[in-house]
Amino acid sequence: MSSPSLTLPSPAPAAVRRRRLLEILGALAIAATYVYLVLNQPADITGGPGSAAALVALSGFLAGAVLLIVAVLPTLPASTVVLIPVALVLNIVLGQFVGSTLVPFYLDAIGTVLIAVLAGPAAGAATGALSSIVWSFFNPTVLPFAAGAALIGCLAGLAARYGLFRRFYLAPVAGFATGIIGGVVSAPVAAFVFGGTSGVATGAIVSAFRSMGDTLLAAITKQALISDPMDKAIVFTVVAVLVYALPRRASRQFPFVRRHRVLAGKAAAPEATRPDATDATVQGPGQAS
């Protein structure tokens, strides 16, 4: 015989406000670091973490990522916390490999989008920023793009929150739109900080536009608007396949998925009607799984 589940009380309004404040501060830290890089155009950032510009960028992006993690950590189940390092490795390995090929895509955001769909915008943004930070110790040219990676995670989480993963065919549409925004944001960094792009194929596209008489920023922006939307459409589609391949019990371990009915056929938990609910439940001794 099943006993009713015991729902933990919703967090106090003060706790919710603190989390929102930390999320805002984290986003501002990442955005301010991005503005610093675009305005100052520090060429020495490619020299690795030892340069002054790299230390500023590393500190700003890391502070933003930590604030976001502190904000969302109390709401994350252990399954999400364990999954974040896996997502970082997935981003770095795929991004490093694809970037060295003649494919004009990146595929370095699959782990970020996966976390965003399962755990929400803040967790996705933190994963994106952390991914670029960790990757920068192996490839310093990645660090300035941490703001763009965080933005992709945030937009993916918002797409999941508002139902764009409930219909499989909407996932690539959401990815395409996210890629347009991400490409526009990353283009100034690629132009002003690096004078180009780091990928083999994407660099060739930029060179082609430059040979046609485009300015550096125009050429990189056009390249980004070609590569990024298609790249993110592929990434969102791959993530949709992954999350729908999860068993129902596994996907329902994630409060964000339950609260916002992220996936088709996944009914929202009863407490999801309260905006501040944590969706955390405790099973009674005799409750059926």
Side-chain angles (χ1 to χ4, degrees):
M1 181 177 178
S2 298
S3 61
S5 63
L6 302 177
T7 304
L8 295 178
S10 60
V16 174
R17 286 196 295 270
R18 280 196 298 271
R19 287 208 301 268
R20 294 290 180 266
L21 177 60
L22 289 173
E23 289 177 1
I24 292 171
L25 291 175
L28 288 176
I30 292 173
T33 307
Y34 168 83
V35 172
Y36 160 79
L37 292 175
V38 172
L39 294 181
N40 289 277
Q41 306 175 26
D44 62 334
I45 195 169
T46 58
S51 68
L55 287 175
V56 172
L58 184 64
S59 300
F61 287 136
L62 183 59
V66 169
L67 287 170
L68 289 173
I69 289 176
V70 171
V72 301
L73 195 59
T75 68
L76 298 181
S79 52
T80 307
V81 176
V82 171
L83 193 58
I84 289 178
V86 177
L88 299 183
V89 173
L90 186 63
N91 286 347
I92 295 169
V93 171
L94 282 176
Q96 193 69 31
F97 172 74
V98 175
S100 63
T101 67
L102 295 177
V103 179
F105 302 125
Y106 317 106
L107 302 185
D108 57 355
I110 290 178
T112 297
V113 175
L114 180 62
I115 294 296
V117 171
L118 294 175
T127 303
L130 280 176
S131 177
S132 295
I133 291 169
V134 174
W135 194 358
S136 70
F137 287 98
F138 307 96
N139 183 0
T141 62
V142 176
L143 180 60
F145 296 99
L151 178 63
I152 296 301
C154 179
L155 293 175
L158 290 175
R161 178 171 186 167
Y162 291 107
L164 294 180
F165 280 82
R166 289 180 205 153
R167 299 290 182 269
F168 189 84
Y169 61 86
L170 290 179
V173 176
F176 193 90
T178 298
I180 293 174
I181 299 171
V184 171
V185 169
S186 65
V189 173
F192 299 145
V193 177
F194 296 111
T197 57
S198 56
V200 175
T202 53
I205 295 175
V206 171
S207 297
F209 282 122
R210 288 282 283 162
S211 67
M212 298 176 191
D214 286 338
T215 64
L216 180 61
L217 179 58
I220 292 177
T221 302
K222 288 180 179 180
Q223 175 273 315
L225 292 177
I226 291 173
S227 299
D228 287 60
M230 292 303 300
D231 172 72
K232 298 309 179 291
I234 294 171
V235 167
F236 275 52
T237 302
V238 170
V239 170
V241 170
L242 291 176
V243 295
Y244 276 106
L246 290 173
R248 179 182 175 87
R249 175 181 293 184
S251 63
R252 283 188 58 77
Q253 291 181 6
F254 297 93
F256 179 77
V257 173
R258 298 197 309 270
R259 182 184 308 131
H260 299 291
R261 200 168 65 84
V262 169
L263 306 178
K266 307 297 194 247
E271 65 271 23
T273 56
R274 297 192 307 271
D276 294 331
T278 61
D279 291 322
T281 56
V282 179
Q283 290 185 335
Q287 183 177 350
S289 58

